């Protein structure tokens, strides 16, 4: 395991897109950690957000990808952890700016709202874009502990 490992998790609404993104990452030679789910059987997205947050917190992964129907529920659940900055991306500008300005460590997709090609492009941009630091660091620091 390494901080370069990308963890993925999804609920039943997102597992197909999660599997497609996982295959892409593997093809690129990246280490992936698949935390499920792996079928259309109904599950609860907070459980999968928690599994992914824990993988980042304990160092099994450095970045994460979460997918549900909209990306909203699973992102809300992940953002309950002060160390997680989960951003929903609908286009590559979201994916770039959530890294440059927000140092997002998790990207969220809605399988019902975002097509696979857009999600693929967003994930590539998310993984290759660095945090800009500077004035943004102060803001990240303010979010790193509970209010
Ligand atoms: C599951 O039906 C759906 O509510 C979930 O995938 C997600 O869209 C929630 O935000």
């Amino acid at each position: 395991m390494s901080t370069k490992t990308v963890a993925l998790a999804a609920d039943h609404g997102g597992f197909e897109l999660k599997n497609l993104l996982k295959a892409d990452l593997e093809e690129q030679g990246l280490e992936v950690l698949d935390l499920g789910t792996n079928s259309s059987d109904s599950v609860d997205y907070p459980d999968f957000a928690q599994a992914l947050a824990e993988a980042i917190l304990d160092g099994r992964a450095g970045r994460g990808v979460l997918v549900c129907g909209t990306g909203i529920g699973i992102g809300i659940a992940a953002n309950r952890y002060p160390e997680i900055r989960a951003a929903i991306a609908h286009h590559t500008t979201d994916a770039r700016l959530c890294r440059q300005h927000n140092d997002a460590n998790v990207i969220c997709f809605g399988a019902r709202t975002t097509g696979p090609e857009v999600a693929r492009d967003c994930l590539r941009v998310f993984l290759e874009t660095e945090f800009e630091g500077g004035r943004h660091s102060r803001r990240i620091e303010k979010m790193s502990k509970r209010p």
Side-chain angles (χ1 to χ4, degrees), residues 11-14 43 45 68-74 112:
D11 74 356
H12 54 286
V43 293
Y45 57 79
C68 69
T70 58
I72 295 171
I74 208 159
R112 294 179 189 149

Side-chain angles (χ1 to χ4, degrees), residues 44-116:
D44 297 333
Y45 57 79
D47 298 334
F48 293 87
Q50 179 178 346
L52 186 128
E54 286 172 357
I56 291 183
L57 262 58
D58 67 23
R60 280 176 291 148
R63 300 266 182 95
V65 180
L66 288 173
V67 192
C68 69
T70 58
I72 295 171
I74 208 159
I76 290 172
N79 279 319
R80 293 169 65 234
Y81 296 78
E83 301 85 353
I84 300 297
R85 291 175 299 282
I88 301 179
H90 293 105
H91 43 66
T92 53
T93 309
D94 287 339
R96 175 174 59 81
L97 286 171
C98 79
R99 286 291 310 133
Q100 289 178 330
H101 289 192
N102 312 114
D103 198 19
N105 48 9
V106 175
I107 191 164
C108 307
F109 296 113
R112 294 179 189 149
T113 57
T114 299

